[in-house]
Amino acid sequence: MTKNEREQIIALIQQEVVPAIGCTEPIAVALAVAKATETLGTTPEQIDVLLSGNMLKNAMGVGIPGTGMVGLPIAIALGALVGKSEYLLEVLKDTTPEAVEQGKQYIQEQRIHIGQKKDTEEKLYIEITVKNGKNNATVIISHEHTHFSFIAKNGKTLLDQSQVCATANNKNTVELSLRKIYDFATTAPYKEISFILEAAKLNSKAAELGMSKGCGHALGKTILHQPKKKFFGQHSLYAKILSATSSACDARMAGEIIPVMSNSGSGNQGIAATMPVVVYAQERRKSKDKLVRALIMSHLTVIYIKQSFGRLSPLCGCVVAATGSACGLTYLMDGNYEQIAFAVKNMIANITGMICDGAKASCSLKVATGVSTAILSSMLALENKSVSSIEGIIENDVDQCIRNMNAIGTKGMSKTDELVLDIMTHKK
């Protein structure tokens, strides 16, 4: 692998693996509101919000950091009151109890109006219009959670990239394959890739917080302590991996003010790609070099799969992220490339098709399911056992298997996505 190609892959990882506070969908909406407010130049009297169906789905039921509240209205209010667009996905990190009270008042005054943008095919689309007196400003985020595609004030366009396609917006396009990921992760100089340890640091802190506070559904805490029935061994590595990963998700989905290292626009994907690898490496006392390479393999596999999916899809991102962690775990257990490919095939054969029904506290259950499957897939792979090409959607070529999963998650599940949103928005 050439130095230039290596540098491109490193830049891609650094672009896609970034810190975020709170669920990325409502936080992206808050970011757009903050930018619109800054463009307006004053606190808006009214905020009109139009979102694509997928954005609406993923922002309805998740905790907003530092508020003790769930859903979009408080995220929107705080975006206008204390949000700073320069913080990007940490836009609400200056939130205070006083700001939350102001935000509640803002909501009570019915200044916020939220609707679905019907005439867009974009999965990730946020349109904000803010008004104060005769002045108004409009901001659109599309394609990516932090990509401003349109900005205008009082009818004057300040930025317009609305016709630029999503692929052209990518700062870094690298042709990946599972083999290339393996070669990069196992041969890149340690100093060039050791930055990935920040993911281990941030997401481990989130796991510790989720465990100590019993956030959300407290799945991570329940798995480890098993208060009623003892399903796992007291010191089971399996339980520790599931517990740590779920605990970090518990904390994030409950709205704790703590940054996590996201992957491809999702904090849960970043958590699921990180924590199984970190816990296994710690418990089995693997070297820091081995840990770094396993994390790179895990995160880069997630990036590779998400390149075709896009930021949002009907398929649960935990499936994608757990596929990455299956690769990292297999590598930590001294698996070779062929066995890592087996692990990917086993994952795709097992949990492809898990629906995404929005970001919420129970995402920790899906994360635990994905990680559990990753462990099983790795165990089978290390015994040189793989779901074969005569079974279901699996083919001999592992990269074609990934393309098959992507096709199911995008084309095949589009009607499912519409039905899920319809159910969520018409509950009695």
Side-chain angles (χ1 to χ4, degrees):
M1 184 174 292
T2 66
K3 181 180 179 182
N4 181 59
E5 190 172 22
R6 207 168 64 234
E7 289 174 346
Q8 284 185 318
I9 293 175
I10 289 170
L12 176 63
I13 297 171
Q14 291 176 329
Q15 171 189 316
E16 298 290 1
V17 181
V18 297
I21 296 177
C23 177
T24 40
E25 276 69 57
I27 295 302
V29 176
L31 173 62
V33 173
K35 188 69 170 181
T37 300
E38 291 163 3
T39 304
L40 184 65
T42 187
T43 302
E45 295 174 335
Q46 180 179 325
I47 305 176
D48 296 320
V49 180
L50 289 174
L51 304 175
S52 59
N54 283 78
M55 283 298 302
L56 198 59
K57 179 181 73 174
N58 277 291
M60 289 171 61
V62 67
I64 306 303
T67 69
M69 299 173 68
V70 170
L72 277 167
I74 190 64
I76 293 167
L78 290 174
L81 295 171
V82 298
K84 290 184 175 64
S85 65
E86 64 192 81
Y87 293 162
L88 297 179
L89 293 180
E90 296 179 284
V91 60
L92 298 183
K93 70 179 182 179
D94 289 343
T95 297
T96 62
E98 293 75 20
V100 173
E101 291 305 313
Q102 290 174 3
K104 291 178 181 178
Q105 181 65 31
Y106 200 92
I107 295 168
Q108 289 174 0
E109 293 170 354
Q110 299 185 330
R111 297 177 181 274
I112 298 169
H113 306 278
I114 303 169
Q116 184 177 354
K117 182 75 172 180
K118 298 285 190 179
D119 56 345
T120 180
E121 295 182 0
E122 290 289 342
K123 299 287 187 184
L124 198 166
Y125 183 92
I126 304 164
E127 182 179 320
I128 307 294
T129 299
V130 294
K131 300 173 183 176
N132 189 306
K134 295 181 179 180
N135 296 311
N136 65 80
T138 297
V139 167
I140 296 174
I141 285 179
S142 59
H143 309 314
E144 297 180 3
H145 292 85
T146 58
H147 179 256
F148 297 104
S149 57
F150 182 83
I151 301 173
K153 181 176 181 180
N154 294 331
K156 181 180 179 181
T157 299
L158 306 178
L159 171 73
D160 189 357
Q161 295 185 352
S162 56
Q163 300 303 313
V164 180
C165 69
T167 53
N169 284 326
N170 289 335
K171 303 179 184 76
N172 191 308
T173 54
V174 180
E175 284 290 330
L176 293 174
S177 66
L178 192 67
R179 180 79 225 194
K180 185 178 288 188
I181 291 169
Y182 176 84
D183 290 344
F184 172 80
T186 55
T187 63
Y190 174 84
K191 289 184 178 180
E192 293 183 7
I193 57 176
S194 60
F195 64 86
I196 200 67
L197 288 172
E198 186 66 16
K201 178 182 175 182
L202 289 183
N203 293 348
S204 293
K205 285 184 177 179
E208 291 167 6
L209 180 66
M211 176 64 67
S212 64
K213 294 186 69 172
C215 303
H217 292 303
L219 178 62
K221 193 170 187 177
T222 302
I223 289 171
L224 195 62
H225 296 293
Q226 306 166 59
K228 300 294 183 183
K229 300 288 184 180
K230 305 297 181 183
F231 288 101
F232 309 109
Q234 187 175 3
H235 302 292
S236 162
L237 176 56
Y238 178 69
K240 288 179 180 179
I241 289 174
L242 263 61
S243 175
T245 311
S246 301
S247 290
C249 183
D250 284 332
R252 178 173 177 265
M253 293 290 95
E256 292 293 331
I257 303 182
I258 187 166
V260 301
M261 193 64 81
S262 66
N263 184 305
S264 303
S266 166
N268 284 348
Q269 287 172 185
I271 289 167
T274 302
M275 292 312 300
V277 174
V278 170
V279 174
Y280 185 91
Q282 289 173 344
E283 292 292 314
R284 291 292 183 260
R285 298 184 179 181
K286 297 294 180 178
S287 68
K288 191 170 284 187
D289 180 90
K290 193 87 171 176
L291 169 61
V292 163
R293 297 185 188 283
L295 285 171
I296 287 290
M297 194 173 297
S298 179
H299 277 276
L300 194 52
T301 300
V302 177
I303 293 167
Y304 169 38
I305 298 173
K306 290 293 290 185
Q307 281 182 331
S308 298
F309 268 117
R311 284 293 190 261
L312 302 175
S313 90
L315 185 69
C316 176
C318 301
V319 173
V320 175
T323 303
S325 64
C327 296
L329 288 169
T330 306
Y331 172 75
L332 283 176
M333 291 186 273
D334 299 320
N336 56 30
Y337 170 73
E338 184 179 27
Q339 290 167 326
I340 288 169
F342 285 170
V344 172
K345 291 181 180 182
N346 293 339
M347 286 292 297
I348 293 171
N350 193 339
I351 53 175
T352 295
M354 182 188 287
I355 64 167
C356 171
D357 56 343
K360 61 216 173 298
S362 60
C363 283
S364 59
L365 288 163
K366 296 190 178 189
V367 167
T369 297
V371 171
S372 175
T373 304
I375 295 169
L376 295 176
S377 297
S378 296
M379 288 173 60
L380 273 178
L382 290 164
E383 295 298 319
N384 294 312
K385 296 184 184 298
S386 169
V387 177
S388 70
S389 61
I390 64 171
E391 302 174 72
I393 62 173
I394 301 305
E395 304 196 29
N396 288 322
D397 180 1
V398 66
D399 295 295
Q400 184 58 49
C401 293
I402 291 172
R403 288 191 285 273
N404 292 346
M405 177 173 66
N406 286 352
I408 290 169
T410 51
K411 300 174 185 176
M413 293 178 68
S414 58
K415 290 296 183 183
T416 300
D417 208 28
E418 293 174 11
L419 179 58
V420 167
L421 182 61
D422 184 66
I423 292 171
M424 290 176 65
T425 54
H426 290 87
K427 291 181 182 179
K428 293 181 180 179

